[in-house]
Amino acid sequence: MECRGEAYRIARTRRLLRRGPGGPESTRPFDANGQDPTRIHLTLDEDSNVVTGS
């Protein structure tokens, strides 16, 4: 894409989640961001209805 003579690229990024034999790994001391992974998909019941609340 070009705007005002400048070329721009649109890119998608993904969050990295390390996975081991026991499931997702926790953060490591040298990781730059200690934030836990966030839920990115809605929770659905057996009839594919969105489950609200906790």
Short mmCIF file of all heavy atoms in Angstrom, two decimals:
data_model
loop_
_atom_site.label_atom_id
_atom_site.label_comp_id
_atom_site.label_asym_id
_atom_site.label_seq_id
_atom_site.Cartn_x
_atom_site.Cartn_y
_atom_site.Cartn_z
N MET A 1 0.85 -1.16 0.00
CA MET A 1 0.00 0.00 0.00
C MET A 1 0.90 1.23 0.00
O MET A 1 1.95 1.24 0.63
CB MET A 1 -0.90 -0.03 1.24
CG MET A 1 -1.73 1.21 1.38
SD MET A 1 -3.04 1.16 2.59
CE MET A 1 -2.20 0.98 4.12
N GLU A 2 0.46 2.24 -0.68
CA GLU A 2 1.24 3.46 -0.73
C GLU A 2 0.37 4.64 -0.31
O GLU A 2 -0.81 4.71 -0.64
CB GLU A 2 1.76 3.69 -2.15
CG GLU A 2 2.85 4.71 -2.21
CD GLU A 2 3.52 4.73 -3.56
OE1 GLU A 2 3.90 3.67 -4.06
OE2 GLU A 2 3.63 5.85 -4.11
N CYS A 3 0.95 5.52 0.48
CA CYS A 3 0.22 6.69 0.97
C CYS A 3 1.18 7.87 1.03
O CYS A 3 2.24 7.79 1.68
CB CYS A 3 -0.36 6.40 2.34
SG CYS A 3 -1.29 7.77 3.04
N ARG A 4 0.84 8.93 0.31
CA ARG A 4 1.68 10.14 0.28
C ARG A 4 3.14 9.84 -0.08
O ARG A 4 4.08 10.36 0.53
CB ARG A 4 1.61 10.87 1.60
CG ARG A 4 0.23 11.39 1.94
CD ARG A 4 0.22 12.17 3.19
NE ARG A 4 -1.14 12.60 3.50
CZ ARG A 4 -1.46 13.33 4.52
NH1 ARG A 4 -0.55 13.74 5.36
NH2 ARG A 4 -2.71 13.67 4.73
N GLY A 5 3.31 8.95 -1.03
CA GLY A 5 4.65 8.64 -1.50
C GLY A 5 5.43 7.65 -0.63
O GLY A 5 6.55 7.31 -0.95
N GLU A 6 4.85 7.19 0.47
CA GLU A 6 5.51 6.21 1.35
C GLU A 6 4.88 4.83 1.14
O GLU A 6 3.66 4.71 1.04
CB GLU A 6 5.34 6.60 2.82
CG GLU A 6 6.08 7.85 3.22
CD GLU A 6 7.58 7.65 3.29
OE1 GLU A 6 8.04 6.56 3.69
OE2 GLU A 6 8.30 8.60 2.94
N ALA A 7 5.71 3.80 1.09
CA ALA A 7 5.22 2.43 0.93
C ALA A 7 5.03 1.80 2.32
O ALA A 7 5.90 1.92 3.19
CB ALA A 7 6.20 1.61 0.12
N TYR A 8 3.89 1.19 2.53
CA TYR A 8 3.58 0.53 3.80
C TYR A 8 3.21 -0.93 3.55
O TYR A 8 2.65 -1.26 2.50
CB TYR A 8 2.40 1.22 4.50
CG TYR A 8 2.72 2.62 4.96
CD1 TYR A 8 2.47 3.71 4.15
CD2 TYR A 8 3.27 2.84 6.21
CE1 TYR A 8 2.75 4.99 4.56
CE2 TYR A 8 3.57 4.12 6.64
CZ TYR A 8 3.30 5.19 5.81
OH TYR A 8 3.59 6.45 6.23
N ARG A 9 3.51 -1.78 4.52
CA ARG A 9 3.10 -3.18 4.46
C ARG A 9 2.26 -3.48 5.68
O ARG A 9 2.56 -3.04 6.78
CB ARG A 9 4.31 -4.11 4.49
CG ARG A 9 4.99 -4.20 3.19
CD ARG A 9 5.92 -5.38 3.17
NE ARG A 9 6.58 -5.38 1.89
CZ ARG A 9 7.75 -5.90 1.66
NH1 ARG A 9 8.40 -6.48 2.64
NH2 ARG A 9 8.28 -5.86 0.47
N ILE A 10 1.24 -4.26 5.47
CA ILE A 10 0.39 -4.71 6.58
C ILE A 10 0.78 -6.14 6.89
O ILE A 10 0.83 -6.99 6.01
CB ILE A 10 -1.10 -4.61 6.20
CG1 ILE A 10 -1.45 -3.15 5.90
CG2 ILE A 10 -1.97 -5.17 7.31
CD1 ILE A 10 -2.82 -2.95 5.32
N ALA A 11 1.06 -6.40 8.16
CA ALA A 11 1.48 -7.74 8.57
C ALA A 11 0.68 -8.19 9.78
O ALA A 11 0.26 -7.38 10.59
CB ALA A 11 2.97 -7.73 8.91
N ARG A 12 0.50 -9.48 9.89
CA ARG A 12 -0.17 -10.06 11.06
C ARG A 12 0.89 -10.68 11.95
O ARG A 12 1.89 -11.21 11.48
CB ARG A 12 -1.15 -11.15 10.64
CG ARG A 12 -2.29 -10.62 9.85
CD ARG A 12 -3.23 -11.73 9.52
NE ARG A 12 -4.30 -11.22 8.67
CZ ARG A 12 -5.35 -11.89 8.35
NH1 ARG A 12 -5.52 -13.11 8.80
NH2 ARG A 12 -6.28 -11.36 7.58
N THR A 13 0.66 -10.59 13.24
CA THR A 13 1.59 -11.22 14.18
C THR A 13 0.81 -12.17 15.07
O THR A 13 -0.40 -12.05 15.24
CB THR A 13 2.30 -10.17 15.06
OG1 THR A 13 1.31 -9.47 15.81
CG2 THR A 13 3.09 -9.20 14.21
N ARG A 14 1.50 -13.10 15.65
CA ARG A 14 0.90 -14.04 16.59
C ARG A 14 1.68 -14.02 17.88
O ARG A 14 2.88 -13.78 17.89
CB ARG A 14 0.94 -15.46 16.04
CG ARG A 14 0.05 -15.67 14.87
CD ARG A 14 0.03 -17.12 14.54
NE ARG A 14 -0.71 -17.31 13.31
CZ ARG A 14 -1.11 -18.47 12.88
NH1 ARG A 14 -0.81 -19.55 13.56
NH2 ARG A 14 -1.78 -18.57 11.77
N ARG A 15 1.01 -14.32 18.93
CA ARG A 15 1.66 -14.41 20.22
C ARG A 15 2.26 -15.81 20.37
O ARG A 15 1.62 -16.80 20.02
CB ARG A 15 0.62 -14.18 21.29
CG ARG A 15 1.20 -14.04 22.63
CD ARG A 15 0.10 -13.63 23.54
NE ARG A 15 0.73 -12.90 24.61
CZ ARG A 15 0.11 -12.45 25.63
NH1 ARG A 15 -1.17 -12.60 25.72
NH2 ARG A 15 0.74 -11.82 26.57
N LEU A 16 3.47 -15.89 20.86
CA LEU A 16 4.15 -17.17 21.01
C LEU A 16 3.73 -17.83 22.32
O LEU A 16 3.71 -17.20 23.37
CB LEU A 16 5.66 -16.96 21.02
CG LEU A 16 6.50 -18.20 21.29
CD1 LEU A 16 6.36 -19.20 20.16
CD2 LEU A 16 7.95 -17.82 21.48
N LEU A 17 3.38 -19.10 22.24
CA LEU A 17 3.04 -19.88 23.41
C LEU A 17 3.90 -21.14 23.37
O LEU A 17 3.78 -21.94 22.43
CB LEU A 17 1.56 -20.25 23.42
CG LEU A 17 1.10 -21.16 24.54
CD1 LEU A 17 1.21 -20.44 25.88
CD2 LEU A 17 -0.33 -21.60 24.31
N ARG A 18 4.77 -21.28 24.34
CA ARG A 18 5.60 -22.49 24.41
C ARG A 18 4.76 -23.63 24.95
O ARG A 18 4.03 -23.47 25.91
CB ARG A 18 6.80 -22.26 25.31
CG ARG A 18 7.79 -21.31 24.76
CD ARG A 18 9.03 -21.29 25.65
NE ARG A 18 9.89 -20.22 25.28
CZ ARG A 18 9.90 -19.04 25.87
NH1 ARG A 18 9.11 -18.78 26.87
NH2 ARG A 18 10.72 -18.10 25.46
N ARG A 19 4.90 -24.79 24.34
CA ARG A 19 4.12 -25.94 24.76
C ARG A 19 5.07 -27.10 25.00
O ARG A 19 5.91 -27.40 24.17
CB ARG A 19 3.10 -26.27 23.68
CG ARG A 19 2.09 -27.24 24.14
CD ARG A 19 0.82 -27.06 23.31
NE ARG A 19 -0.12 -28.08 23.67
CZ ARG A 19 -0.99 -27.97 24.66
NH1 ARG A 19 -1.04 -26.87 25.35
NH2 ARG A 19 -1.80 -28.94 24.96
N GLY A 20 4.90 -27.75 26.13
CA GLY A 20 5.71 -28.91 26.46
C GLY A 20 4.84 -30.13 26.67
O GLY A 20 3.63 -30.08 26.47
N PRO A 21 5.42 -31.24 27.12
CA PRO A 21 4.66 -32.47 27.31
C PRO A 21 3.54 -32.32 28.36
O PRO A 21 2.51 -32.98 28.27
CB PRO A 21 5.68 -33.48 27.80
CG PRO A 21 7.01 -32.87 27.57
CD PRO A 21 6.82 -31.41 27.39
N GLY A 22 3.71 -31.43 29.32
CA GLY A 22 2.71 -31.24 30.36
C GLY A 22 1.73 -30.13 30.07
O GLY A 22 0.93 -29.75 30.92
N GLY A 23 1.76 -29.57 28.85
CA GLY A 23 0.87 -28.46 28.51
C GLY A 23 1.65 -27.19 28.31
O GLY A 23 2.87 -27.21 28.14
N PRO A 24 0.97 -26.03 28.34
CA PRO A 24 1.66 -24.76 28.12
C PRO A 24 2.70 -24.49 29.21
O PRO A 24 2.47 -24.79 30.38
CB PRO A 24 0.53 -23.72 28.20
CG PRO A 24 -0.72 -24.48 27.98
CD PRO A 24 -0.46 -25.87 28.48
N GLU A 25 3.85 -23.98 28.80
CA GLU A 25 4.91 -23.66 29.76
C GLU A 25 4.66 -22.27 30.35
O GLU A 25 4.10 -21.39 29.71
CB GLU A 25 6.27 -23.66 29.06
CG GLU A 25 6.70 -25.01 28.58
CD GLU A 25 8.09 -24.97 27.94
OE1 GLU A 25 8.76 -23.92 28.03
OE2 GLU A 25 8.48 -25.98 27.36
N SER A 26 5.12 -22.08 31.57
CA SER A 26 5.01 -20.77 32.19
C SER A 26 6.12 -19.87 31.64
O SER A 26 6.98 -20.31 30.90
CB SER A 26 5.13 -20.89 33.72
OG SER A 26 6.38 -21.45 34.05
N THR A 27 6.09 -18.60 32.02
CA THR A 27 7.10 -17.67 31.54
C THR A 27 8.47 -18.03 32.11
O THR A 27 8.58 -18.66 33.16
CB THR A 27 6.75 -16.23 31.94
OG1 THR A 27 6.61 -16.18 33.34
CG2 THR A 27 5.47 -15.78 31.29
N ARG A 28 9.48 -17.61 31.42
CA ARG A 28 10.86 -17.85 31.86
C ARG A 28 11.43 -16.55 32.40
O ARG A 28 11.00 -15.47 32.00
CB ARG A 28 11.68 -18.35 30.67
CG ARG A 28 11.16 -19.67 30.17
CD ARG A 28 11.92 -20.16 28.97
NE ARG A 28 11.38 -21.43 28.52
CZ ARG A 28 11.82 -22.08 27.48
NH1 ARG A 28 12.80 -21.59 26.76
NH2 ARG A 28 11.27 -23.22 27.14
N PRO A 29 12.40 -16.62 33.29
CA PRO A 29 12.96 -15.41 33.90
C PRO A 29 13.50 -14.40 32.89
O PRO A 29 13.46 -13.20 33.11
CB PRO A 29 14.08 -15.91 34.80
CG PRO A 29 13.87 -17.36 34.96
CD PRO A 29 13.04 -17.82 33.79
N PHE A 30 13.99 -14.86 31.75
CA PHE A 30 14.59 -13.96 30.76
C PHE A 30 13.58 -13.46 29.73
O PHE A 30 13.93 -12.70 28.84
CB PHE A 30 15.77 -14.64 30.05
CG PHE A 30 15.44 -15.97 29.45
CD1 PHE A 30 14.83 -16.07 28.22
CD2 PHE A 30 15.72 -17.14 30.15
CE1 PHE A 30 14.53 -17.30 27.67
CE2 PHE A 30 15.42 -18.38 29.60
CZ PHE A 30 14.82 -18.45 28.36
N ASP A 31 12.31 -13.88 29.82
CA ASP A 31 11.29 -13.38 28.89
C ASP A 31 11.06 -11.89 29.12
O ASP A 31 10.99 -11.42 30.24
CB ASP A 31 9.96 -14.12 29.08
CG ASP A 31 9.98 -15.52 28.51
OD1 ASP A 31 10.86 -15.81 27.67
OD2 ASP A 31 9.12 -16.33 28.90
N ALA A 32 10.91 -11.16 28.02
CA ALA A 32 10.73 -9.71 28.12
C ALA A 32 9.38 -9.34 28.72
O ALA A 32 9.25 -8.35 29.41
CB ALA A 32 10.87 -9.08 26.75
N ASN A 33 8.35 -10.13 28.47
CA ASN A 33 7.01 -9.83 28.94
C ASN A 33 6.52 -10.99 29.81
O ASN A 33 6.37 -12.09 29.33
CB ASN A 33 6.06 -9.62 27.76
CG ASN A 33 4.67 -9.24 28.17
OD1 ASN A 33 4.38 -9.16 29.35
ND2 ASN A 33 3.82 -8.99 27.21
N GLY A 34 6.24 -10.73 31.08
CA GLY A 34 5.80 -11.76 31.99
C GLY A 34 4.30 -11.95 32.03
O GLY A 34 3.78 -12.62 32.90
N GLN A 35 3.58 -11.36 31.08
CA GLN A 35 2.13 -11.45 31.06
C GLN A 35 1.68 -12.86 30.66
O GLN A 35 2.21 -13.46 29.73
CB GLN A 35 1.57 -10.45 30.05
CG GLN A 35 0.08 -10.48 29.92
CD GLN A 35 -0.42 -9.51 28.85
OE1 GLN A 35 0.38 -8.81 28.25
NE2 GLN A 35 -1.70 -9.50 28.63
N ASP A 36 0.68 -13.40 31.37
CA ASP A 36 0.13 -14.70 31.03
C ASP A 36 -0.62 -14.61 29.71
O ASP A 36 -1.13 -13.55 29.34
CB ASP A 36 -0.84 -15.17 32.12
CG ASP A 36 -0.10 -15.54 33.41
OD1 ASP A 36 1.08 -15.91 33.32
OD2 ASP A 36 -0.73 -15.46 34.47
N PRO A 37 -0.73 -15.73 28.98
CA PRO A 37 -1.47 -15.72 27.71
C PRO A 37 -2.92 -15.31 27.93
O PRO A 37 -3.53 -15.65 28.95
CB PRO A 37 -1.39 -17.16 27.23
CG PRO A 37 -0.24 -17.76 27.97
CD PRO A 37 -0.14 -17.02 29.26
N THR A 38 -3.49 -14.60 26.98
CA THR A 38 -4.88 -14.18 27.07
C THR A 38 -5.76 -15.09 26.23
O THR A 38 -5.31 -15.67 25.24
CB THR A 38 -5.06 -12.74 26.58
OG1 THR A 38 -4.55 -12.64 25.26
CG2 THR A 38 -4.33 -11.75 27.47
N ARG A 39 -7.01 -15.21 26.64
CA ARG A 39 -7.96 -16.03 25.90
C ARG A 39 -8.37 -15.26 24.64
O ARG A 39 -8.79 -14.13 24.72
CB ARG A 39 -9.18 -16.31 26.76
CG ARG A 39 -10.20 -17.19 26.12
CD ARG A 39 -11.27 -17.54 27.14
NE ARG A 39 -11.77 -18.86 26.96
CZ ARG A 39 -11.18 -19.99 27.31
NH1 ARG A 39 -10.01 -19.95 27.90
NH2 ARG A 39 -11.70 -21.16 27.08
N ILE A 40 -8.22 -15.89 23.47
CA ILE A 40 -8.54 -15.19 22.22
C ILE A 40 -9.78 -15.76 21.54
O ILE A 40 -10.26 -15.19 20.59
CB ILE A 40 -7.34 -15.22 21.25
CG1 ILE A 40 -6.94 -16.64 20.91
CG2 ILE A 40 -6.18 -14.44 21.80
CD1 ILE A 40 -5.90 -16.75 19.81
N HIS A 41 -10.29 -16.88 22.02
CA HIS A 41 -11.48 -17.48 21.42
C HIS A 41 -12.62 -17.47 22.43
O HIS A 41 -12.40 -17.61 23.63
CB HIS A 41 -11.21 -18.92 20.99
CG HIS A 41 -10.18 -19.03 19.92
ND1 HIS A 41 -10.40 -18.66 18.62
CD2 HIS A 41 -8.90 -19.45 19.97
CE1 HIS A 41 -9.31 -18.87 17.91
NE2 HIS A 41 -8.38 -19.33 18.71
N LEU A 42 -13.83 -17.30 21.94
CA LEU A 42 -15.00 -17.34 22.81
C LEU A 42 -15.24 -18.76 23.30
O LEU A 42 -14.92 -19.73 22.61
CB LEU A 42 -16.24 -16.87 22.04
CG LEU A 42 -16.20 -15.43 21.53
CD1 LEU A 42 -17.42 -15.16 20.66
CD2 LEU A 42 -16.16 -14.46 22.68
N THR A 43 -15.81 -18.89 24.49
CA THR A 43 -16.18 -20.20 25.02
C THR A 43 -17.58 -20.53 24.54
O THR A 43 -18.50 -19.72 24.65
CB THR A 43 -16.14 -20.18 26.56
OG1 THR A 43 -14.82 -19.79 26.97
CG2 THR A 43 -16.46 -21.54 27.13
N LEU A 44 -17.74 -21.72 23.96
CA LEU A 44 -19.03 -22.15 23.44
C LEU A 44 -19.54 -23.35 24.22
O LEU A 44 -18.76 -24.17 24.69
CB LEU A 44 -18.91 -22.53 21.96
CG LEU A 44 -18.35 -21.48 21.01
CD1 LEU A 44 -18.22 -22.06 19.60
CD2 LEU A 44 -19.23 -20.24 20.99
N ASP A 45 -20.86 -23.47 24.33
CA ASP A 45 -21.44 -24.66 24.95
C ASP A 45 -21.63 -25.74 23.87
O ASP A 45 -21.23 -25.56 22.72
CB ASP A 45 -22.75 -24.33 25.68
CG ASP A 45 -23.86 -23.85 24.76
OD1 ASP A 45 -23.72 -23.97 23.52
OD2 ASP A 45 -24.87 -23.37 25.29
N GLU A 46 -22.25 -26.87 24.23
CA GLU A 46 -22.37 -27.99 23.28
C GLU A 46 -23.27 -27.66 22.09
O GLU A 46 -23.23 -28.35 21.07
CB GLU A 46 -22.87 -29.24 24.00
CG GLU A 46 -24.23 -29.10 24.67
CD GLU A 46 -24.13 -28.53 26.08
OE1 GLU A 46 -23.03 -28.26 26.59
OE2 GLU A 46 -25.19 -28.37 26.68
N ASP A 47 -24.09 -26.61 22.19
CA ASP A 47 -24.95 -26.20 21.07
C ASP A 47 -24.36 -25.02 20.30
O ASP A 47 -25.05 -24.37 19.53
CB ASP A 47 -26.34 -25.82 21.60
CG ASP A 47 -27.06 -27.00 22.23
OD1 ASP A 47 -26.95 -28.11 21.68
OD2 ASP A 47 -27.70 -26.80 23.27
N SER A 48 -23.10 -24.71 20.54
CA SER A 48 -22.36 -23.62 19.88
C SER A 48 -22.88 -22.24 20.24
O SER A 48 -22.77 -21.30 19.46
CB SER A 48 -22.36 -23.80 18.36
OG SER A 48 -21.68 -24.98 18.02
N ASN A 49 -23.47 -22.10 21.42
CA ASN A 49 -23.88 -20.79 21.94
C ASN A 49 -22.74 -20.21 22.76
O ASN A 49 -22.06 -20.93 23.49
CB ASN A 49 -25.13 -20.91 22.82
CG ASN A 49 -26.31 -21.41 22.03
OD1 ASN A 49 -26.60 -20.92 20.94
ND2 ASN A 49 -27.00 -22.40 22.57
N VAL A 50 -22.53 -18.90 22.64
CA VAL A 50 -21.45 -18.26 23.38
C VAL A 50 -21.80 -18.27 24.87
O VAL A 50 -22.90 -17.90 25.29
CB VAL A 50 -21.26 -16.80 22.91
CG1 VAL A 50 -20.23 -16.08 23.75
CG2 VAL A 50 -20.86 -16.77 21.44
N VAL A 51 -20.84 -18.72 25.71
CA VAL A 51 -21.01 -18.74 27.16
C VAL A 51 -20.51 -17.42 27.70
O VAL A 51 -19.37 -17.02 27.45
CB VAL A 51 -20.22 -19.92 27.78
CG1 VAL A 51 -20.31 -19.89 29.28
CG2 VAL A 51 -20.68 -21.23 27.20
N THR A 52 -21.37 -16.69 28.41
CA THR A 52 -20.99 -15.39 28.99
C THR A 52 -20.78 -15.55 30.48
O THR A 52 -21.29 -16.47 31.10
CB THR A 52 -22.06 -14.32 28.73
OG1 THR A 52 -23.29 -14.78 29.28
CG2 THR A 52 -22.23 -14.07 27.24
N GLY A 53 -20.02 -14.63 31.06
CA GLY A 53 -19.73 -14.67 32.50
C GLY A 53 -18.59 -15.61 32.79
O GLY A 53 -18.00 -16.23 31.93
N SER A 54 -18.27 -15.73 34.10
CA SER A 54 -17.13 -16.58 34.45
C SER A 54 -17.53 -17.82 35.17
O SER A 54 -18.57 -18.18 35.46
CB SER A 54 -16.14 -15.83 35.29
OG SER A 54 -16.78 -15.13 36.34
#
